[in-house]
Structure formats: structure tokens, C-alpha cells
Amino acid sequence: MLGLDALDRLATVDKPVWVFDPNRQRHAWANEAALRFWHAASNEELLARDYTDMSEGARARLAVTMEAHRAGRSTRDLWTLYPEGRPTWTMLHTSGITLPSGQQGILFVAEPSQEHNPDMWRSAEALMHMPVLATVHRLDNGRGMMRNPAATLALGSIEGDGHLQALFVNPRLAQEVTDAARVGRSHRCEAQLNTRQGARWYIVETHPAWDPVTGARVVHLSALDISTLKQAQHDLEAARAQAEQASLAKTAFLAHMSHELRTPLNGVLGMLQIALATPLAPQLRSWLEVAQSSGKLLLTLLTDLLDLSRIEAGRMQIEPVPVDLHKLVDETIAPLAHEAAAKGVALRCSYADDLPPRLSCDPVRLRQVLFNVVGNAVKFTTRGHVDVRIELRDAAPGAPLLHFSVSDSGIGIASERLGHLFESFSHAHSGTARRFGGSGLGLMLVKRLVELMGGSVTIDSVPDRGTTVCWNVRCAAA
Ligand code: ADP
């Protein structure tokens, strides 16, 4: 590249010639004609002018121009300059020059320009300064015809591999764009483009058009960089997958632990049962009975936990088989009937007349739900009754629902607690666990099981009057 000292003989030529230092954003040298062109009072005044407020687009254009210089090329282009503050369109020759600092500068030679259509000039300027990449390609062979500075900076010069096909990481997308343009259609896609920094994500839009110079069919392509967005999206997905994985691992651990804990606990309970069947001193018997009831409570808690974690992990299967409904209900509530009778509470059960004797449903899970709800009703009722009612309702033709309701005349639940009862470890009354026993997992498990069986649960209650729990499950004729 030339040095500034080579410019001496241009000092007096009639064309404005000047050197710009892009690092300092100032003029570094100017001849007489350039001083007139820039309306400068003196050489010092021009060199002192500061251009640090130059737009991003103008900087990009300068960077592209300097790249051409480094590749040994000069350029000839229309620029908008503001010598007096007003835009002046000027045809500028540019070439590279080495500044006294050793850094690269730009040598400009201005040519008086002809008049231009202002609208054309505005759109050309907007295109030149736009951060969106804009390229034009021939439709027949994909060859690059034009790139705006943003596209040249991102993708490299058009003299390189400027083909439409070479732009896309995925060749199928390049084909889709070309196919759409051939039938006169625009195309929009998210695509990875081969940039100088490797593959980056863009929103790419293409439109078929005609080249105003040759009349050939061309494709206009614009691309907006969304790599940062894609990266954020990718990080978020990775974080979600990791969180899901961690949650699954926790659920699996919980299921495993509750299973492992049940085995020794069953051993303890078995031994307690054997010990209690032998003659014992009254004090010792009462201690062992406390140990047995605590052990049973712990077993219920572990079983509930195990079931819940199996549901969470999606490993709980509903297995419908033909079931004798009366028998199932009677067997389930029989142990609770004893408990109720001991407190003077009437546990009554009624069936709708049209209830078929056999139905297809999952007896194990149905029993579990019924035992939990009726168990609660008996537990929280000290006088009066617990009524269990079973009916068949048609949700839709051919899709019968087995409907249960359990009403009690017990202590009831305050309305503000009702909404929270299906959460884990939730008690409606302070000190419930101490006074009545219970894990606080029962209703949550009921809800999840009923949902697995294709139904839903509702709970209504009036404090000191009683509670009604209703639920339904899908069933089929057996
Ligand atoms: P727990 O195993 O403690 O009974 P549940 O999830 O089955 O847990 O019930 C949660 C809480 O809801 C109970 O502790 C109790 O406070 C309240 N509850 C449930 N059923 C009734 C009922 N029939 N009458 C009054 N309170 C009830």
C-alpha cells in the first residue's frame, strides 16, 4: 500500500483527494480541492474534525471497503457525504494507504456526481447501512450478484464462494428457496448459514425478482441473525431436560427407598404381631401395641409415598378386570365399619338400583381410593353417620362413569383450607396428625389415582356439619 508521502504530487490536483484514518475517525490528510469540498477553513480545521458519531452502517461499509483494499483491490462507489451538514452524493474512488502510525487508512478521490433520483438514492443508502444481511443471486445458477456491507462482513466477499447453495449449511433449504422462486413464490425459514465465524442461525426470507440491470431472474435474500436467541432457547431446553432428569432421578430414588424401607418394617410388624399373640404383662402389651400402631402408620405412609412416586414416574398402570362391585365395596369398608361402630357412628352403604352386578374396572386402585376417603370420614366423625352411595352415570353414550359419594356428619373443613387438601402433607386442622393420625398424603393420592382412572374428585364441607367427597371413574360393562 502507498504511504502518505506519496501524496505530495496530489496536493494541487483539481479533484478532492483526502485520507481518512478509521481508527481515530478523523481525516489524516487532504489536498486543496478537498478543503473546498469539505468547506473547511483550513487544513488544521479539517483534520481536527471528529467523526466518532458515525453510524454502525457507515462503519460496516468502511470495514468492507478496507477489506477490499487488503485484498489489493480499489473500489468505485456512490457515497452520501455531509460536507456542509447536507447530504451530498459523490462518486468515490477508494484505495488502501499506510498511515504514518503503520495502520491502514483509506485514500478517497471524489468525482463530481450527476443528479440522482432521491428515492432510489434513499433505498440504496438504507440497503447499504442495514444490519440485516441482503444478497442478490441469479436464479439459474445461484451466483451472487450483490451483497450489502452487512452481508459481506458476515459471509465474506461476493468474489469468494457467493453461490446461494454455498450459503446454506443444509443444501435442502437452498433447493427449497430456489424451487419456490422458480414458481414465483417467496420463502421464509429458520436456517443455519455458513458465515466467516462458522454456522450461525438466521431467519431467512427470499423473494423472486428481476435484475434491473440485465433483466435476468434473481432471488433477493435477506437474513436476520438469531444465533443469540437460538443459543438462549437451546440453553433453556437443556436446563429443562436436566431438571426433568433430576426430578425423575429423585422420584426413582424415593420409589426405591420406600420399597426398601417396607421390607424391614414388615419384619418388625410381623414380630410385633407374634409377640402380641403371646401372654404378656399388661404394661409390656400396651408398649408393644403403641409400637404396632406406629409401625402400621409408617407402613401406610411408605405405601402412599411409593404409589405417588410410581404415578409421578408414569409407572402406575390401571388394570381393569371384571369386578363384583358389591363384594368389593363391602370388603373394603368392613374393617372401617368396626371402627365406626366402636364410636357409635353408623356406616351405611347404598347402591343405585340400575347398578350392574359386575363392571370392568381396576379393583386394587378403586379399593385404595374408597378406603382412603371412607377412612377419613370415619376418622373425622365422632357422632352421627357416614353414608356411602354408588351410582352409574352416563357421561356420554357408551362411556359410563361409576360415581361415588361419601358424606359424613363429622367436624368438617374450613372453606379456606378446602382448596389445599389435594396437596401433599396437607392437614385441614392444626394438630390433626397428632390427634387423628394420618400422613397428609391420602387425598393427593386419591386425586392422582382417580385421574388415572379417567375421573375427577370434588370435596364440599361445612365446619361442624360434615363433609362430602365425590368422585367418578371410567368403567365398562363386564
Ligand atoms: P390424612 O392421611 O392426614 O388423613 P388426607 O390427605 O387424607 O391425609 O387428608 C388431609 C386432611 O384433610 C386431613 O388431615 C383432614 O384435616 C382433612 N380431611 C380429609 N377428610 C376429611 C373429612 N371427611 N372430614 C374432615 N376433615 C377431613
Side-chain angles (χ1 to χ4, degrees):
M1 280 186 206
L2 285 176
L4 279 193
D5 46 355
L7 300 180
D8 283 352
R9 59 204 161 82
L10 297 175
T12 52
V13 295
D14 203 22
K15 278 184 183 171
V17 180
W18 68 89
V19 173
F20 190 71
D21 178 348
N23 285 308
R24 294 177 52 244
Q25 306 274 359
R26 280 164 198 261
H27 288 103
W29 185 91
N31 71 357
E32 292 289 329
L35 294 183
R36 282 195 300 279
F37 176 85
W38 285 103
H39 298 267
S42 66
N43 194 47
E44 290 69 35
E45 190 264 314
L46 181 67
L47 300 199
R49 283 186 196 176
D50 177 15
Y51 293 91
T52 42
D53 59 351
M54 189 184 290
S55 73
E56 278 287 316
R59 279 173 213 267
R61 201 170 169 196
L62 285 180
V64 169
T65 307
M66 288 168 77
E67 239 172 56
H69 297 165
R70 281 198 292 278
R73 293 196 308 274
S74 23
T75 70
R76 183 173 176 276
D77 244 334
L78 272 169
W79 293 69
T80 311
L81 301 174
Y82 299 82
E84 269 184 305
R86 276 191 308 113
T88 309
W89 309 315
T90 319
M91 180 60 80
L92 293 179
H93 291 263
T94 75
S95 42
I97 191 159
T98 307
L99 298 168
S101 63
Q103 286 180 308
Q104 187 183 349
I106 307 172
L107 173 67
F108 287 96
V109 180
E111 264 180 28
S113 84
Q114 308 82 16
E115 279 302 305
H116 298 280
N117 171 346
D119 287 338
M120 279 284 281
W121 191 232
R122 250 175 225 131
S123 36
E125 182 83 3
L127 185 66
M128 285 304 197
H129 289 183
M130 203 166 44
V132 174
L133 317 192
T135 67
V136 180
H137 300 265
R138 282 177 64 138
L139 184 56
D140 54 358
N141 58 16
R143 275 247 320 272
M145 300 176 82
M146 173 273 186
R147 274 179 183 178
N148 73 344
T152 308
L153 269 187
L155 308 169
S157 93
I158 202 159
E159 282 75 22
D161 201 355
H163 278 71
L164 187 65
Q165 283 75 7
L167 222 56
F168 288 86
V169 170
N170 179 352
R172 191 177 48 79
L173 287 177
Q175 194 55 49
E176 274 177 26
V177 164
T178 317
D179 290 348
R182 284 213 172 98
V183 292
R185 277 208 336 267
S186 301
H187 192 74
R188 185 188 159 95
C189 59
E190 279 187 11
Q192 278 183 299
L193 300 186
N194 290 312
T195 76
R196 293 160 129 187
Q197 298 160 348
R200 284 181 75 81
W201 280 98
Y202 288 86
I203 290 183
V204 176
E205 289 209 22
T206 56
H207 306 278
W210 301 94
D211 179 39
V213 183
T214 62
R217 291 188 76 189
V218 294
V219 183
H220 287 177
L221 179 149
S222 61
L224 184 68
D225 193 331
I226 52 163
S227 287
T228 327
L229 205 77
K230 276 277 171 189
Q231 187 58 42
Q233 206 176 357
H234 177 267
D235 291 351
L236 238 116
E237 264 161 28
R240 192 181 57 94
Q242 209 177 8
E244 255 172 24
Q245 198 55 43
S247 158
L248 274 182
K250 231 166 74 181
T251 308
F253 172 76
L254 201 64
H256 186 72
M257 276 308 286
S258 29
H259 180 72
E260 289 299 315
L261 287 172
R262 278 196 326 166
T263 315
L265 184 58
N266 276 325
V268 172
L269 283 174
M271 286 301 116
L272 283 172
Q273 202 175 352
I274 293 173
L276 282 166
T278 59
L280 293 170
Q283 180 67 75
L284 185 57
R285 172 170 298 280
S286 103
W287 287 339
L288 291 187
E289 276 169 359
V290 172
Q292 189 187 39
S293 76
S294 301
K296 278 185 179 163
L297 190 59
L298 190 55
L299 188 62
T300 318
L301 179 63
L302 286 175
T303 311
D304 286 357
L305 266 180
L306 181 61
D307 284 346
L308 272 174
S309 48
R310 276 167 62 195
I311 295 175
E312 292 289 340
R315 292 209 314 260
M316 172 80 79
Q317 298 291 339
I318 295 302
E319 288 161 12
V321 290
V323 168
D324 177 339
L325 213 56
H326 286 107
K327 191 160 167 264
L328 179 139
V329 174
D330 285 347
E331 279 176 7
T332 308
I333 63 175
L336 298 167
H338 279 296
E339 201 181 313
K343 300 203 274 188
V345 171
L347 176 54
R348 303 177 299 220
C349 195
S350 69
Y351 302 88
D353 294 339
D354 58 353
L355 196 69
R358 288 175 80 75
L359 275 173
S360 176
C361 49
D362 184 328
V364 178
R365 302 303 158 201
L366 210 55
R367 197 174 278 143
Q368 205 173 356
V369 172
L370 192 65
F371 189 80
N372 252 299
V373 178
V374 180
N376 274 345
V378 171
K379 188 160 68 176
F380 294 105
T381 305
T382 45
R383 63 192 143 76
H385 65 268
V386 172
D387 285 336
V388 182
R389 171 88 184 157
I390 299 139
E391 298 169 3
L392 199 63
R393 293 186 181 174
D394 265 329
L401 282 177
L402 193 53
H403 186 268
F404 292 80
S405 82
V406 175
S407 323
D408 64 59
S409 56
I411 63 174
I413 301 164
S415 55
E416 67 272 14
R417 292 295 308 148
L418 272 180
H420 300 283
L421 289 181
F422 295 114
E423 293 161 11
S424 52
F425 303 112
S426 165
H427 296 290
H429 316 91
S430 56
T432 302
R434 193 165 21 84
R435 269 166 53 210
F436 300 97
S439 63
L441 289 177
L443 283 179
M444 185 183 181
L445 187 59
V446 162
K447 181 170 185 281
R448 304 299 300 267
L449 285 173
V450 166
E451 282 169 357
L452 272 182
M453 291 188 276
S456 57
V457 198
T458 57
I459 180 159
D460 279 311
S461 190
V462 180
D464 299 325
R465 296 282 290 280
T467 304
T468 301
V469 180
C470 297
W471 72 98
N472 48 42
V473 297
R474 286 229 179 88
C475 60

